[in-house]
């Protein structure tokens, strides 16, 4: 077996205890919160007798001790069964697979947009250090840190959906649309994707600007850059082949961390724009005390974080020859 495959296998095996700890922690935290699914159903009905509440908890398996509930849940995971969402009336696994593509599309689009624009602005800021353009880019990136995502989303809806009527304000597709072909459907999804993706990307774009600028200024002062210039290389070649390539290393690391953290942002953005993804599904599960659904979403998110961090490690080794993937 090649060294890289052995490394991947070892990392996945090491991730199993971490995944177990995440499931246990999430399970305990959800059980410590006041109320459960039976309380929600009773509250919606307006009144409930003690016998009715007891029957509800027996129906949903809430009457057995917490440790037995956890063991039953772990046994289900080992059989690839994430449980049943009584609130949604569907198996949790089917719900996640149904909503996951929308969240992946939104997250990857936002990260790619933030990466391309943020790195470009960071390069421009580093090349024009101390100038008015550099100051302007720094001010804009600082505003990206300080501005809440929900406010940005609402302002974009007011401007581009209500005032200009250029883009739709909610959903993933136009309700009742009669598509003539696959291209029309993709175009409609793309129009719905613009506002939520831009909103989600602004915070991460600001981070990329700062990191790219800082990393490039650090690399500019190294000896091999001065040597490249002494050899007569053009400034564009020096920037792309020598400075930017070495400055990408911290950017790759941060990208891996952001892909894991972006789920928190999707909860806000998907709620504002009515985007049918896991973030909005998690928000609905919180209000309905749908523990099985929340645990399934958290487990799926944890698995994605583990896989992304593994991919980042491999990419880091590909970019920097000094880094080796060891068995």
């Amino acid at each position: 077996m090649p060294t890289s495959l052995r490394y991947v296998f070892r990392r996945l095996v090491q991730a199993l205890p971490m995944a177990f700890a995440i499931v246990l922690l999430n399970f305990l935290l959800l059980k410590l919160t006041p109320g459960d699914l039976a309380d929600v159903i009773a509250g919606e009905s307006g009144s409930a007798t003690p016998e009715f509440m007891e029957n509800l908890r027996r129906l949903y398996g809430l009457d057995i001790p917490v440790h037995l509930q956890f063991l039953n849940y772990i046994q289900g995971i080992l059989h690839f069964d994430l449980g049943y969402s009584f609130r949604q009336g569907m198996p949790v696994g089917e719900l996640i697979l149904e909503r996951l593509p929308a969240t992946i599309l939104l997250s990857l689009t936002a990260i790619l947009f933030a990466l391309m624009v943020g790195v470009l602005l960071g390069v421009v800021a580093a090349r024009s250090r101390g100038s008015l353009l550099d100051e302007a880019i720094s001010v804009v990136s600082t505003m990206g840190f300080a501005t809440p995502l929900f406010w940005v989303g609402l302002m974009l809806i007011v401007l581009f959906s209500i005032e200009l009527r250029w883009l739709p304000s909610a959903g993933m597709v136009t309700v009742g649309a009669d598509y003539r072909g696959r291209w029309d459907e993709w175009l409609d999804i793309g129009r719905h994707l613009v506002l939520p993706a831009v909103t989600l990307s602004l915070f991460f774009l600001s981070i990329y600007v700062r990191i790219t600028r800082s990393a490039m200024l650090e690399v500019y002062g190294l000896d091999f850059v001065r040597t490249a210039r002494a050899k007569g290389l053009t400034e564009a070649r020096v920037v792309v082949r020598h400075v930017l390539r070495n400055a990408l290393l911290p950017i790759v690391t941060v990208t891996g961390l952001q892909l894991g953290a972006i789920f928190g942002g999707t909860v806000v953005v998907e709620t504002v724009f009515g985007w049918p993804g896991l973030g909005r599904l998690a928000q609905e599960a919180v209000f309905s005390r749908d523990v099985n659904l929340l645990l399934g979403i958290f487990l799926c998110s944890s698995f994605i974080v583990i896989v992304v961090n593994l991919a980042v490690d491999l990419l880091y080794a590909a970019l920097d020859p000094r880094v080796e993937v060891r068995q």
Side-chain angles (χ1 to χ4, degrees), residues 287-301:
F287 286 107
S288 62
R289 297 295 192 276
D290 197 338
V291 175
N292 286 342
L293 181 54
L294 272 175
L295 286 174
I297 294 174
F298 291 156
L299 181 63
C300 177
S301 304

Side-chain angles (χ1 to χ4, degrees), residues 5 19 53 103 128 185 191 209 221 224 230 245 252 269 271 301:
L5 291 181
M53 295 290 294
T103 295
S128 56
E185 181 181 0
R191 293 180 67 251
V209 171
F224 73 89
R245 179 174 180 178
V252 170
V269 172
T271 301
S301 304

Side-chain angles (χ1 to χ4, degrees), residues 26-251:
N26 289 330
F27 185 87
L28 293 178
L29 288 176
L30 290 175
K31 287 300 179 181
L32 288 174
T33 57
D36 53 24
L37 180 60
D39 293 321
V40 174
I41 295 176
E44 291 177 349
S45 66
S47 62
T49 62
E51 293 78 11
F52 178 72
M53 295 290 294
E54 183 179 351
N55 291 332
L56 280 179
R57 290 194 167 91
R58 185 182 302 111
L59 175 64
Y60 297 133
L62 302 175
D63 58 330
I64 62 177
V66 174
H67 69 279
L68 293 180
Q69 295 181 35
F70 179 72
L71 291 177
N72 290 338
Y73 183 73
I74 292 297
Q75 184 179 5
I77 291 178
L78 295 177
H79 290 84
F80 302 99
D81 180 13
L82 297 180
Y84 191 83
S85 172
F86 297 97
R87 193 64 175 174
Q88 301 287 341
M90 289 178 62
V92 171
E94 292 184 13
L95 271 172
I96 292 177
L97 291 177
E98 182 182 294
R99 298 290 189 97
L100 183 60
T103 295
I104 291 178
L105 176 63
L106 174 60
S107 301
L108 290 183
T109 303
I111 284 293
L112 290 176
F113 178 78
L115 185 61
M116 291 187 295
V117 178
V119 170
L120 177 62
L121 292 178
V123 171
V124 173
R127 292 282 295 126
S128 56
R129 179 183 182 184
S131 67
L132 182 61
L133 181 59
D134 181 26
E135 295 296 330
I137 293 175
S138 297
V139 170
V140 172
S141 63
T142 302
M143 291 175 60
F145 282 118
T147 308
L149 289 180
F150 72 88
W151 186 86
V152 174
L154 291 175
M155 293 303 101
L156 291 179
I157 289 175
V158 170
L159 177 60
F160 292 101
S161 297
I162 299 177
E163 296 294 333
L164 299 177
R165 299 181 182 275
W166 288 355
L167 297 168
S169 61
M172 186 174 175
V173 294
T174 302
V175 178
D178 185 16
Y179 300 122
R180 297 179 180 178
R182 183 70 68 178
W183 172 252
D184 288 344
E185 181 181 0
W186 290 348
L187 184 61
D188 187 37
I189 293 175
R191 293 180 67 251
H192 284 80
L193 179 63
V194 172
L195 292 185
V198 170
T199 301
L200 185 59
S201 68
L202 289 181
F203 175 80
F204 303 102
L205 187 151
S206 302
I207 296 176
Y208 285 129
V209 171
R210 294 299 187 89
I211 292 178
T212 303
R213 180 183 182 276
S214 176
M216 287 196 65
L217 290 178
E218 181 180 352
V219 176
Y220 265 129
L222 299 180
D223 292 337
F224 73 89
V225 176
R226 289 191 289 268
T227 302
R229 285 172 173 161
K231 291 180 178 180
L233 297 179
T234 63
E235 189 64 21
R237 190 176 180 86
V238 170
V239 170
V240 176
R241 292 290 302 274
H242 297 279
V243 180
L244 184 57
R245 179 174 180 178
N246 286 275
L248 284 177
L249 297 178
I251 296 174

